[in-house]
Amino acid sequence: MESSINLECYLIFLTCAPNHIIYGRPIIYIFMTMTTRTEKHPHPHQTSGTEADQLPSAAGAEDNNKNNNNTATSTPIDILEVETPAPSSPSSPPFPLEHSKSAYLVLAGCVLIQAPIWGYSLAFGIFQEFYTTHPSILGPQSPGTIASIGTSQTGILYLMMPITFTLLTKYPHLRHWFLRLGLLLTTGCLTASSFATSARWLIATQGVLHAIGCGLLFSPTSLYLDEWFSARKGLAYGAMWSGKSVAGAGMPFLTSALLNRYGVGTTLRVYAVASAVLTIPPLFLMRDRPDTPTATATTSNSETNTPSSSPTRPAGTVSFAFARHPTFWILQFGNILQSMGYLMPSTYLASYANALGFPSITGPVFLALISLASVPGSLLIGLLNDTGLPATTVILISSLGSALPVFLLWGLGGHQVAVLVLFTLLYGFFAGGFSSTWSGIQRELRSTDGAVDTGLVFGMLLGGRGLGFVLSGPVGGALLEVDRLKAQDFSGYATQYGPMIIYTGLTATLGAWGWFWTMGKKAMAAF
């Protein structure tokens, strides 16, 4: 009597069954069993050894072992799963989804829709001046009352983002309804405001309802962009923000020409028609990203290009995992501080130029230059995030790059047009690209915790920026009441705007709060 051990392998090459193909790649399943056989003398009627030792099929292996006259015991050892390279076929795309035509269409739609979303708020300064110089439209109103129309619109538009992003993450099917309702609100409110005869009417239609409509358009389109792009998320966000900057460069001149020729009523009705015409085409470019497996997703770390597995959240679930990370709150604090001074040059540079006796066209030109310089700034700073640099480093580049021109050019040489032109270009480039640093924050949070929802993080950062904008309004007015600084007459510090210049430079520097916090911790650990 002899004993022997046979290792039997059963290979099944699956190419057609969809349930066994992962990401379009065929899988080879290798079933291995160890069989211990006790040999006996063959019986005259026993099956020949050659026939008994033949490799059984996967389906009939167990039956053959039972029918074998030899005494056999089968013990499963392991089941191995081996991936094989996928042949080129229509079912296995040769490139990631963010390089696909659909991704570029979503990106194009997000860029184009920035004009109707932000166009009116970026040109409100022209409307404000027109209402102030034509009191017969709204009656005698204080400058603060008219200014509250614009501040209400900007504040509500940003502060509603955490709410809308949370709702759309919880209920993704509402995205299409948000887009339709946003289109109706924006066009309807602009049309209704063209018949306004009081400031309250304008605050309700433009400051509140129009802002809500713009928020309903911005939230779903931004979420579509966030889902379609991963490795190049920074560049995608930079392109989106550059669309806003292009609108900001042209809208003030267009609005001024329309108001001077047709009046405020006709101008607002033109705005309503243009808003509908510019909004509808991008809506057709929005599309959902194809569903990914709900059990396990293989993601790629943009810094190391190494795959890492992390559980994916089922659709319709909201994850506030980012809130448990101190990194988010530190970077959010810097985001709020930077926002508290970001709008000062855009808001007061025109009046600053007027106070120095520059031609009236100088102010709008300065504002246009800030917006134009923001276009390459948004793209390049977003691209820096995609290279894998730490988010705090990219934020530091944006913060110091905008703070130094404030202190050195606006502060020291603010009486010369050429110096102010250089200031607007540098400030627009570095400060205008600050929002593009958010993709780096999203990447770092996601790399430390796979449960972090990057779209929701984006909404929270927008909310923090809105809080800073709302706080900057009363702060700016208070700074103009401060006594002038004792400085050289040729410098901007010697003007009424001296304290504001210092404040703007400090808030721009503190935008890099996360970097200073990190360096402070390292310095304390060294002692």
Side-chain angles (χ1 to χ4, degrees), residues 2 4 6 35-43 46-49 52-53 64-73:
E2 297 178 357
S4 63
N6 288 342
T35 305
T36 304
R37 299 182 182 275
T38 303
E39 301 289 350
K40 292 183 179 181
H41 295 291
H43 191 273
Q46 189 175 6
T47 308
S48 63
D53 291 338
N64 288 342
N65 285 331
K66 289 181 179 179
N67 295 331
N68 198 327
N69 293 328
N70 295 334
T71 304
T73 304

Side-chain angles (χ1 to χ4, degrees), residues 338 381 393-403 430-434 437 508:
Q338 195 270 352
I381 291 178
T393 302
V394 181
I395 293 174
L396 178 68
I397 294 173
S398 175
S399 298
L400 293 185
S402 55
F430 288 100
F434 187 86
T437 64

Side-chain angles (χ1 to χ4, degrees), residues 383-436:
L383 189 60
L384 282 178
N385 284 301
D386 294 339
T387 62
L389 284 175
T392 53
T393 302
V394 181
I395 293 174
L396 178 68
I397 294 173
S398 175
S399 298
L400 293 185
S402 55
L404 291 177
V406 172
F407 287 127
L408 301 179
L409 298 179
W410 192 12
L412 295 178
H415 280 213
Q416 303 177 31
V417 175
V419 175
L420 288 176
V421 167
L422 181 60
F423 159 71
T424 56
L425 292 175
L426 291 176
Y427 184 81
F429 182 90
F430 288 100
F434 187 86
S435 297
S436 296

